Amino acid sequence: MKLTSYIIVGLALTSILAASCGNNSKKGKDGRTDTYSSGTISFVSDESFSPIIEEEREIFQHDYPDAKVKPIYTNESDGINMLLHGKTWLVFAARDYKPAEKKSLEAQQYMPTSFSIAYDALAFIVNKNNTDTLLSVKEVRDIMNGKITKWNQLSNGNRKGTITVVFDNPKSSTVHYIEDSVLGGKPIINKNVAAVKKTAEVIKYVEQNPNAIGIIGNNWLNDKRDTTNLTFKRNIRVMSLSKLYPATAANSRKPYQYYIYNGEYPLIRTIYALLNDPRQGLPWGFAHFIQGPKGQRIVMKTGLLPVLGNINVRDVNTAP
């Protein structure tokens, strides 16, 4: 029997970024001297996006050697608060400005702006010795609100023991997405939910705890040796999620790039660049580089889904 997989093999970007590289480099009242493509600035990103942002940063600085963009990787809440209080001009987050946030900045004579740069998926990971890898969105909801606490309560559960859910940070974009998009704005109340500090610690915890479920951004999973983005890190298992209950092998999907593309993977989020830079200097240059042709190709290479361009899909027949 042949199995059909789908890989995204090409990205034809049709939009051209119009950049004004001739910005005035003289020192402004704020002490800044950066331009669209030169100078030194710091920016903030939710830590769960650090793999993709680091790749973008390295290529941007290679292409623009006079530019230095220094990352501050923290949680989404703290990052947006820094932006609102003038401590940074650029934040990468999994949500847009809230109306009150935008109104507050506009009242201070700022012109906040935002745009999407990529689509990501929330991946559920388990220990490599755990064979219970099918999960429905309904069961995710029941785990988070404490209705399901044991593995054998799942429709496909065979394991014994208590389920422990691990997030990267209690104020991260991952937690916010679960609360907003899965729980309908309600908080997580399961007592067996824990938060560490970084995504790498979530992966390590799952490696060491057979009954754990870790929830991380998809861009942490892809094996860089696999240019098709069809394999994941070998030391963990990635669960398949279903929009339907009960979850079956036929109706469940892993967070492959193709299933983000066609919307069959149930937990997809948008990554935004939030800007509040009246100078329209280097923060604008870096953010628009990611949204531009080369930046979007990097997005595709890392296993996320670009927001711009025509994507080519190829059928691949593989033996079981």
Side-chain angles (χ1 to χ4, degrees), residues 7-10 222-231 234 257 297 300-303 314:
I7 60 174
I8 295 176
V9 296
N222 293 300
D223 188 335
K224 293 184 179 180
R225 295 167 297 179
D226 177 14
T227 57
T228 67
N229 289 322
L230 292 178
T231 60
R234 307 292 201 272
Q257 202 173 43
R297 291 190 187 98
M300 187 178 72
K301 180 182 176 183
T302 59
R314 178 189 300 165

Side-chain angles (χ1 to χ4, degrees), residues 149-164:
T149 59
K150 307 288 185 180
W151 281 98
N152 58 15
Q153 291 179 263
L154 299 174
S155 59
N156 295 284
N158 297 308
R159 295 184 64 83
K160 295 180 180 180
T162 300
I163 299 171
T164 300

Side-chain angles (χ1 to χ4, degrees), residues 131-155:
T131 59
D132 291 341
T133 57
L134 296 179
L135 200 62
S136 69
V137 173
K138 176 185 181 300
E139 288 169 323
V140 172
R141 187 180 301 112
D142 287 345
I143 290 171
M144 298 303 163
N145 62 27
K147 292 182 180 179
I148 292 178
T149 59
K150 307 288 185 180
W151 281 98
N152 58 15
Q153 291 179 263
L154 299 174
S155 59

